[in-house]
Each structure stands twice: as structure tokens, then as C-alpha cells.
Amino acid sequence: MAGPALSQNLSQSQTLAPQMRQSLEILQANTLELSQLLRQQIEINPTLEDITESDSIEDLDFDEPDEDDFDDHFDSYDDDLRDLAIMENRNLGSNPDSEERREFLYNSLVAPESLASHLLNQIEESALAEDLRLACMALVGNLDERGFFAEPPEELAARLEIPGEMMEDALALLHTLDPPGIAARNLQDSLLLQLERLGLADSLEHRIISTHLDNLARKQYPQIARAMKVTVDNVARAAEHIAALDPSPGAIFDGTRNPVISADVRIIRDEVGQWVAQSTNENLPRLRIADSYKDMLSSTPDKKVRSYLRDQIRDGRVLIRALDQRQDTIIAITTEIIRHQPDFLEKGSRHLRPLTMNDVADTIGVHPTTVSRAVAGKYVETPQGIIEMRKFFATGYQTSGGGDVSNAGVRQTIQDIISNENPQKPMSDSAIEKALNAQGIKVARRTVAKYREQLNILPSHLRKTY
């Protein structure tokens, strides 16, 4: 048996320097994430300061320290020009409109109320006996994101050791709370509870949901009408009323369904009417190296203090350079989007043209992965609304007339075709394919089906109205 031994191994590996990691993090961060990251850096690095609202570009003093004090680590003149360029791009002074937008943003970023807290607040406001209150709270803690029970209430009561009668009382109470249809066993139970809250316990809608929910989901109105001995028109009207009910009453409290979105860049017309890209930096801290620490670096005799300040100032300048590079990259990418998508800016998403990240990367002189990182999670404020930056990058098709149309443009065309169809005779995917071909857009039927599903549009037999 061999004993312990020592050996040497030679290998090569690549690692990212901390400065490079920070640059990538800054490049990938959206405006809200970047604002938080910069405020953390201000807390960590004492030499960084956030320029106050009262400061203006003319008030800033860029003293050039003695070159020896930096031990040749910095070119102060070049760095000060970079600082000034960043602040000129970022800081256009304070005005009432920007201040109002900033305060609105700060006051709006609050944690959304959860379904559980919404229900518990109502329970606390009710004058309940202690055992009933505890039973209600236990039930609330076992609701899923839709507001339904993840397991049958009877099994839940046995597991929580809640008496059956107490369980029924607690359920009855929860069914009176807002939103209607909460604490249901399933979709059918929730819809019935919502109808009962509306006083429709004896209605045709209630009977349809109780006995023919599957047929209703398939829009098999004639079968329902025959089984219930009513007309198809009556079933169709009842179906419209049922469609107005909420299939997921608890989902309105899901904070991820309505995330806060802030545009990272906007596209506007300049004074001569040309489309241009403009950074949106109203909500970002405005950074510079504090003059007091520059003075301290040149005056302190303590070597440890000098070394510490030198490192902090260096890190601060690296951060500011990374911010400058991030802004330049995003503006360059947006400028290319403007150059490729003038029809979209004027006419809407149907006129988006195919564009790849490789095309943009080649034009602005960066690697495609840099473009991918730069557009990740970013949004552009356009005349057509706030658009996710990635949506501008897509493949597409060439029309019979020699033009180009993107995937998004094809989807929009499909949306328009279905919006204008006869609802009593909805178009099949094959019919939509032929309509697209008539417009010079040649796509396969399975592609039409895929895009229709992406648009959350039902197949033709489920779109039919009576």
C-alpha cells in the first residue's frame, strides 16, 4: 500500500480580476440595480461621494494633485476629464420635474402586500374567539399563490389537529373575506363561491359550473344547451358572465406579476427632428472622488494612510470608468437600434426588422457577449412605449417583395389577422398561414401555431362565439 506522497502539477487557468468582475456587474445591472450597487459602494469606499442636488458642473473643482503623490498610478488630468465627462453626461442639474420623478420613484418602491398579510389583517379586525382565530390563521398559512388549498381542507384539519366543526366555521369565515373566491378547494369551488357572493347561487351560471365545467372550457355550448334544456344563446351569455370571474383570486397579490420597470435609455427626437439615444440617469447617484481625500493623500505623512487612500481612490476611479463605459456601450447599442429600426419608431412593432447581436457588436467594435450583457434586463423608452431591449434582437423572414420582417412583426401581423376575423367563424392556423402568404410573409402552419400560443391566443374552436 503506497504511503502519502508530494507531487507538483503545472496548469494554466484564467480568472477574472476583481475590477473586471465589477465592470461586468455594472454592465449587466439595470438602472434600479445599479442605483443600489452604487449606494453600497459609497458606503464601502469613503473617498466616493454623491454630488448633492445643489451642485452644478461649474461648482466642481478638479484640483490636480502632485503626480508624485500617486506614485505614477494615475494620470490625474486624464482622470479628471473622465470624471467631468461622466458628470456632464449624467448630471444636468436639478429641476422641479426631475425632483418630482425622483421622489415618486423613491416613494413607490415599497414591498407589495402579500395575500397572507391581506387576509390576516381582515381576520385581526374581526371579533373572533381565540380558537377560531387560530384556526383561520392556520388555514391562511396553507393557501397557494392562487388562493387555493394545496391539499384538501379535511386532510389539512386532521394534520393540524383542528376539529371538523371548527374547520367548517373557519372556512365559512374565510369565504366572506376579500378577495371573493379565496380559500377554495379548486377552480370550480372558487368560481361557485364568487357567484354566491354575487347572489347568483340559483343561476344558470352556477349550474353550468357545477355540472358542465369541462364542456364550458371546450366551448361546447350546444352540448351544454341540450343537457340543460336551454338555448345556445343563454349558454353563451352565461359563459360571458363566468369569463368575468377571477380564476386566480390570490394572484393579484403576487409581487412578481407587476415588477417595477425603469427605462435605462430613452429614444427621443433632437432639435432637428432626428431620433437620438439619451441616458436616463435621474435616479442614479452622481459620483466623484472627494477633494478632501485627495488633499489628505498629498498631505499625510502616515504611509499606511497613504496606501489605504491610494487604494480607495484607485477603486473609486475604476468604478467611475466602469460607469462611463457602461453608459457609452448602452448608448452605442441604442444608436444602432435607431439606425436599424426607423420604421418601428414611426409605425410600431409590426415593422420591426431582423437584427442580431453579432451585427451590432461588429458595428460598435465589441464582442457579442458584451452586447448580450449590456441589454440583459434593460428597457428602452420609445415612442411605442417602454420596450425590453432584447426584443429588438430577433431573426426574421424575407417577404416576397424583398423586404425583411422580424419574428415580432410576424406575431403582430397574426394578432391583427385574428383581431379582424369573424368571431363566429374564426380562422384556423392554416387559414392564417394563407393570409400571411397573401401579404408576402411565407411561414409554416406550425410556426403560426407557435406564434399564436406565444400571443396567448386560443385555437380556432375555442375562439368561436355563438
Side-chain angles (χ1 to χ4, degrees), residues 104-145:
F104 176 78
L105 176 69
Y106 291 160
N107 293 334
S108 298
L109 298 181
V110 296
E113 184 182 28
S114 67
L115 172 63
S117 63
H118 181 69
L119 295 176
L120 291 175
N121 287 338
Q122 296 177 72
I123 292 172
E124 292 296 336
E125 293 173 358
S126 304
L128 303 178
E130 183 65 12
D131 52 355
L132 179 57
R133 185 179 69 86
L134 293 176
C136 291
M137 294 174 64
L139 293 179
V140 167
N142 285 273
L143 298 177
D144 62 18
E145 65 277 2

Side-chain angles (χ1 to χ4, degrees), residues 306-365:
R306 285 168 56 85
S307 176
Y308 172 76
L309 291 177
R310 185 181 299 114
D311 291 342
Q312 296 300 312
I313 292 175
R314 181 195 61 228
D315 292 345
R317 292 188 184 278
V318 168
L319 175 65
I320 293 174
R321 289 193 188 101
L323 289 172
D324 190 15
Q325 186 177 22
R326 174 191 185 272
Q327 296 304 100
D328 289 345
T329 302
I330 292 177
I331 290 296
I333 293 172
T334 309
T335 300
E336 281 302 298
I337 290 174
I338 292 173
R339 189 169 70 85
H340 279 82
Q341 308 291 358
D343 291 339
F344 162 78
L345 297 174
E346 297 285 354
K347 303 174 184 178
S349 59
R350 184 173 180 177
H351 299 273
L352 271 174
R353 296 172 54 196
L355 179 64
T356 67
M357 293 185 184
N358 285 336
D359 295 336
V360 173
D362 290 342
T363 303
I364 67 177

Side-chain angles (χ1 to χ4, degrees), residues 4 89 111 164 174 215 218 242 276 309 334 437:
N89 289 334
L174 292 182
N215 290 340
R218 298 185 179 92
I242 293 171
V276 295
L309 291 177
T334 309
N437 289 339

Side-chain angles (χ1 to χ4, degrees), residues 9 20 30 38 51 63 92 124 145 197 212 241-242 252-253 258-259 348 362 384 397 401 466:
N9 183 35
M20 181 60 71
N30 60 37
L38 295 182
I51 303 170
D63 294 330
L92 303 179
E124 292 296 336
E145 65 277 2
R197 182 79 70 89
H212 297 284
H241 297 158
I242 293 171
I252 59 174
F253 295 93
N258 189 26
D362 290 342
Q384 307 299 330
Y397 303 87
Y466 292 85

Side-chain angles (χ1 to χ4, degrees), residues 109-333:
L109 298 181
V110 296
E113 184 182 28
S114 67
L115 172 63
S117 63
H118 181 69
L119 295 176
L120 291 175
N121 287 338
Q122 296 177 72
I123 292 172
E124 292 296 336
E125 293 173 358
S126 304
L128 303 178
E130 183 65 12
D131 52 355
L132 179 57
R133 185 179 69 86
L134 293 176
C136 291
M137 294 174 64
L139 293 179
V140 167
N142 285 273
L143 298 177
D144 62 18
E145 65 277 2
R146 301 179 65 189
F148 301 165
F149 285 111
E151 59 181 306
E154 296 78 14
E155 297 180 10
L156 180 61
R159 180 166 60 82
L160 299 178
E161 299 182 351
I162 299 176
E165 185 176 350
M166 181 66 66
M167 169 63 72
E168 293 300 324
D169 291 342
L171 278 176
L173 177 68
L174 292 182
H175 292 161
T176 66
L177 301 181
D178 178 74
I182 212 70
R185 291 173 170 81
N186 48 43
L187 173 62
Q188 182 181 44
D189 189 23
S190 178
L191 296 176
L192 293 174
L193 289 171
Q194 293 178 57
L195 288 173
E196 291 166 8
R197 182 79 70 89
L198 295 172
L200 300 175
D202 297 324
S203 64
L204 176 60
E205 291 86 345
H206 197 283
R207 299 200 306 275
I208 290 175
I209 293 175
S210 299
T211 57
H212 297 284
L213 185 59
D214 290 341
N215 290 340
L216 179 66
R218 298 185 179 92
K219 280 200 169 184
Q220 296 174 342
Y221 296 170
Q223 292 90 320
I224 298 174
R226 285 195 298 270
M228 305 195 74
K229 296 182 170 50
V230 295
T231 65
V232 174
D233 288 341
N234 287 339
V235 173
R237 283 194 293 271
E240 290 181 2
H241 297 158
I242 293 171
L245 303 177
D246 192 345
S248 300
I252 59 174
F253 295 93
D254 183 3
T256 61
R257 294 184 57 175
N258 189 26
V260 176
I261 293 177
S262 178
D264 299 86
V265 63
R266 63 171 62 97
I267 297 176
I268 60 173
R269 290 191 185 275
D270 61 14
E271 59 275 6
V272 297
Q274 298 296 318
W275 295 113
V276 295
Q278 182 186 75
S279 294
T280 56
N281 303 305
E282 296 91 344
N283 306 308
L284 292 179
R286 301 179 293 171
L287 302 183
R288 70 171 179 182
I289 304 298
D291 291 337
S292 58
Y293 286 98
K294 294 180 183 179
D295 297 337
M296 187 183 300
L297 178 62
S298 61
S299 61
T300 180
D302 192 316
K303 291 184 179 180
K304 291 184 178 180
V305 173
R306 285 168 56 85
S307 176
Y308 172 76
L309 291 177
R310 185 181 299 114
D311 291 342
Q312 296 300 312
I313 292 175
R314 181 195 61 228
D315 292 345
R317 292 188 184 278
V318 168
L319 175 65
I320 293 174
R321 289 193 188 101
L323 289 172
D324 190 15
Q325 186 177 22
R326 174 191 185 272
Q327 296 304 100
D328 289 345
T329 302
I330 292 177
I331 290 296
I333 293 172

